[in-house]
């Protein structure tokens, strides 16, 4: 469970004078003078950098290699939020960030959950229609890893990521009108790249021997929803959940029933359960990266590269043509 920081607003403001860079973690892409953006975790850092283009700077609150769900912030990081021109986060995903934004008095914040339709946390496909937002009470969460009624892992869908980049460009244009055209052009270029990535997934996963895949925790619901796959999670949305013996037995049955060849695990959490199940059934293991953070073990150096590595891993495991 994430520890909540109880730093007072007075202390935060006092620290802001000596806060230095926007975040303690090494951070992001730095270009020419322009807006200073603080992003809560890697996918939002990447989206912000795409919207900024060659301008401004973006830093992330979640250090490379850290588990995004378990983030704890330093007083310096909290102070940095009030200094940023824009804070980009996903309300309910990281309670420490939600608390810090409230404590810091940051003037301009953007909850990306208000920009895209979010899928229900139970994994069932659900169409939110034309409304990009959702009920505030349902979207917010109280504590720990409870993500409320919605699955937060929207960045597994390139189309939703494109929507976020374009909205960020609009937000940056309001902050820095003189560079509005540059932000719009940067977002358009990113949107084209994300459309190409989406098409690669659609074509690459169109003809496969099976549509099911097994992961250590259910962070690929958006990918499954977009490309007509079925994710079977050993654990739920919380990567730290330990599966019960009954759940492991059910996974054995699912793997056999669907002819599964591979149990997928992640780079930032233990692979012990995946390897144990694979060993019991004589199956392979492979990485499917949820893209919550990048390390030396990640199968790529940025969002597009890791997404493409995930595509190839799925194509191999599911015998796609």
């Amino acid at each position: 469970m994430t520890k909540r920081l109880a730093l007072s607003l007075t202390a935060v403001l006092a620290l802001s004078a000596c806060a230095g860079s926007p975040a303690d973690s090494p951070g992001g892409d730095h270009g020419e003078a322009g807006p200073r953006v603080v992003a809560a975790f890697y996918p939002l850092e990447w989206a912000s950098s795409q919207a900024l283009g060659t301008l401004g700077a973006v830093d992330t609150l979640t250090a490379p290699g850290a588990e995004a769900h378990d983030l704890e912030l330093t007083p310096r990081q909290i102070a940095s939020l009030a200094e940023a021109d824009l804070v980009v986060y996903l309300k309910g995903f990281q309670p420490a960030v939600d608390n810090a934004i409230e404590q810091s008095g940051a003037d301009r914040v953007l909850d990306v959950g208000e920009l895209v339709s979010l899928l229900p946390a139970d994994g069932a496909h659900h169409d939110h229609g034309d409304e990009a937002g959702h009920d505030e009470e349902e979207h917010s969460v109280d504590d720990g890893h409870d993500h409320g009624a919605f699955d937060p892992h929207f960045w597994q869908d390139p189309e939703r990521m494109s929507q976020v980049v374009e909205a960020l460009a609009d937000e940056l244009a309001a902050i820095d009108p003189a560079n509005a055209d540059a932000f719009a052009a940067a977002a358009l270029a990113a949107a084209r790249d994300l459309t190409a990535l989406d098409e690669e997934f659609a074509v690459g996963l169109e003809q496969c021997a099976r549509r099911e895949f097994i992961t250590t925790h259910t962070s690929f619901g958006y990918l499954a929803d977009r490309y007509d796959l079925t994710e079977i999670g050993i654990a739920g949305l919380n990567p730290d959940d330990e599966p019960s013996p009954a759940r492991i037995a059910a996974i054995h049955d699912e793997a056999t029933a669907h002819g599964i060849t591979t149990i997928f695990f992640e780079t930032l959490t233990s692979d012990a359960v995946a390897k144990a199940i694979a060993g019991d059934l004589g199956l392979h293991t492979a990485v499917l990266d949820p893209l919550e953070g990048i390390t030396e073990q990640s199968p790529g150096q940025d969002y597009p590269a890791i997404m493409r590595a995930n595509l190839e891993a799925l194509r191999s495991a599911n015998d796609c043509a």
Side-chain angles (χ1 to χ4, degrees), residues 34-262:
R36 296 175 60 195
V37 179
V38 174
F41 57 100
Y42 176 71
L44 304 187
E45 176 194 347
W46 184 86
S48 299
S49 71
Q50 298 306 298
L52 281 167
T54 61
L55 298 169
V58 55
D59 288 271
T60 180
L61 295 173
T62 306
E67 223 297 320
H69 300 74
D70 296 326
L71 178 67
E72 296 184 16
L73 299 178
T74 66
R76 180 181 176 186
Q77 287 178 304
I78 297 175
S80 77
L81 302 182
E83 297 180 323
D85 294 305
L86 179 64
V87 179
V88 185
Y89 78 119
L90 176 58
K91 186 174 183 180
F93 183 59
Q94 296 169 297
V97 175
D98 296 354
N99 296 337
I101 287 173
E102 183 177 347
Q103 293 166 19
S104 71
D107 289 331
R108 194 155 202 145
V109 298
L110 183 64
D111 172 14
V112 296
E114 299 295 339
L115 306 177
V116 296
S117 61
L118 296 180
L119 296 175
D122 61 9
H125 295 182
H126 181 71
D127 183 8
H128 289 271
D130 294 329
E131 297 180 4
H134 38 78
D135 185 78
E136 177 74 12
E137 181 178 349
E138 287 183 313
H139 178 40
S140 63
V141 299
D142 237 9
D143 204 4
H145 295 293
D146 178 7
H147 299 306
F150 294 92
D151 178 350
H153 304 91
F154 73 88
W155 54 89
Q156 292 294 336
D157 176 0
E159 182 181 52
R160 284 177 167 89
M161 278 293 276
S162 183
Q163 293 171 9
V164 169
V165 172
E166 291 173 7
L168 279 165
D170 292 340
E171 195 77 15
L172 293 169
I175 294 169
D176 184 4
N179 288 309
D181 289 345
F183 300 137
L188 180 59
R192 288 171 177 160
D193 291 342
L194 288 165
T195 295
L197 179 64
D198 180 41
E199 291 173 353
E200 288 178 39
F201 268 83
V203 172
L205 296 173
E206 184 176 10
Q207 297 183 22
C208 302
R210 64 196 65 83
R211 309 305 297 176
E212 300 80 11
F213 62 104
I214 294 179
T215 60
T216 50
H217 98 281
T218 52
S219 54
F220 297 91
Y222 290 86
L223 188 152
D225 182 68
R226 180 134 186 96
Y227 305 111
D228 192 28
L229 301 175
T230 299
E231 179 184 24
I232 301 169
I234 298 171
L237 290 175
N238 178 2
D240 297 325
D241 281 346
E242 291 290 337
S244 66
R247 181 58 185 161
I248 291 176
I251 291 294
H252 282 204
D253 292 341
E254 293 270 18
T256 301
H258 299 297
I260 296 294
T261 66
T262 306

